[in-house]
Amino acid sequence: MAPAENTSSAPNGGTGANGTILVGIDGSPNSEHAFDEALALAQAKGMGIDLAGAFTFPFGYVDPYNTTALSGRDEFRRIVENRVRQAADPLIDRANAAGVEVHLDIAEGDAAGVLTRWSEKVDLAVVGKRGRSPVAGRFMGSVSSSFVSHSHCPVLVVPEKWKGHSHDPAEAPPVEGASHETEVDVRLRGASHDTDEKPAGRVGAGLDFSGSVVVAVDPGDKTDAVVAEAVKWAKEADSALTLVSAVTLDTETGTWIPNPVQHNLVEAPRVRAAAVTHLEEITERLRESDPGLDVRWRFFDGSPGEVIGEATRTAELVVVGSRGRGGFVGLLLGSVSRAVLNRAVCPVLVVPRKKR
């Protein structure tokens, strides 16, 4: 069965009974790995897949004053589109064999920009994250990072070495200044939770979220949009859900700027109480609305990016918002989301806080 092919400026969309997953392809192992995860999700959720290939026309490809410039541009487009189809063909064959409806979309334009526009028409996007290397491996690729920052739909970011639930926690990049790769050098003075566990002494030693979807809860976010998305994924995966908040109260910031909360004996308890109350309220609402969902909460005195990043070592999935409170919505990922993605071991679902 040949897929429908679209070379317009908008994706076909609506390919599956339960929605569409967008996957950018460029022939790289990274994009193929993202497709692997998208195909598994499409089968499980009854969704279709839109494969998206984008390209830009290089200014130096033809002489703009040459009368044959137009034909040169057409030839370039033909060559690139053929290469996109060659990269897509094996993926399309796999989707067809799995019974997943698939479309191929090809467009001229910046890859991140094309994916961002098309994200308005789909329900989920999946991108890959490069593995570790001395420099580049600590960060996502430029296209993936830009797209995740501006996507209109949730984006699942899949680390290069993710192999399902058999991932190795040691694969997470170390935090600067950590004495051991398996432990983040941040003291948890007063970690709290709604279970009978004893508070952990170090982040790495106490963050075991095996069998759970972890959602990062911003104490200042009252919309619950990110939590709602996490609930959906936890229920579909038949997993527990753990709400996690972290605020630097008594921990040194590691910068030249002193932590204002740390030096205010009145402010720290108030901030902590507000964050814990927020977690308790969300947990209570979820237990009432979804009595079959195993939901719990954890609060940590520590760097949010490091705490949530550590959670990716053991969690089934980590869900974060694309931007935190404060700052300009037009900027890139919030600092917490960016820190989590740079260290992620398990897949991370980034949920846009802005309305679609």
Side-chain angles (χ1 to χ4, degrees), residues 88 101 108 141 155 200 255 293:
E101 189 171 352
E108 182 177 344
V155 181
T255 70
L293 179 65

Side-chain angles (χ1 to χ4, degrees), residues 55-56 208 258:
F55 65 93
T56 54
D208 185 357

Side-chain angles (χ1 to χ4, degrees), residues 174-241:
V175 175
E176 303 300 337
S179 56
H180 299 89
E181 184 169 320
T182 56
E183 293 185 349
V184 178
D185 197 14
V186 176
R187 304 298 293 181
L188 294 183
R189 300 180 178 87
S192 56
H193 37 71
D194 68 339
T195 68
D196 294 329
E197 301 175 46
K198 293 181 179 180
R202 280 179 177 268
V203 176
L207 285 182
D208 185 357
F209 294 107
S210 300
S212 181
V213 170
V214 171
V215 54
V217 177
D218 184 340
D221 182 14
K222 305 301 181 181
T223 65
D224 287 354
V226 178
V227 173
E229 192 70 24
V231 168
K232 181 174 70 175
W233 282 72
K235 292 169 67 175
E236 290 176 349
D238 195 24
S239 297
L241 177 67

Side-chain angles (χ1 to χ4, degrees), residues 248 251-259 262:
T248 305
T251 308
E252 291 288 352
T253 62
T255 70
W256 290 104
I257 304 174
N259 178 7
Q262 177 186 353

Side-chain angles (χ1 to χ4, degrees), residues 44-55:
K45 296 173 177 285
M47 302 176 74
I49 294 177
D50 265 342
L51 298 176
F55 65 93

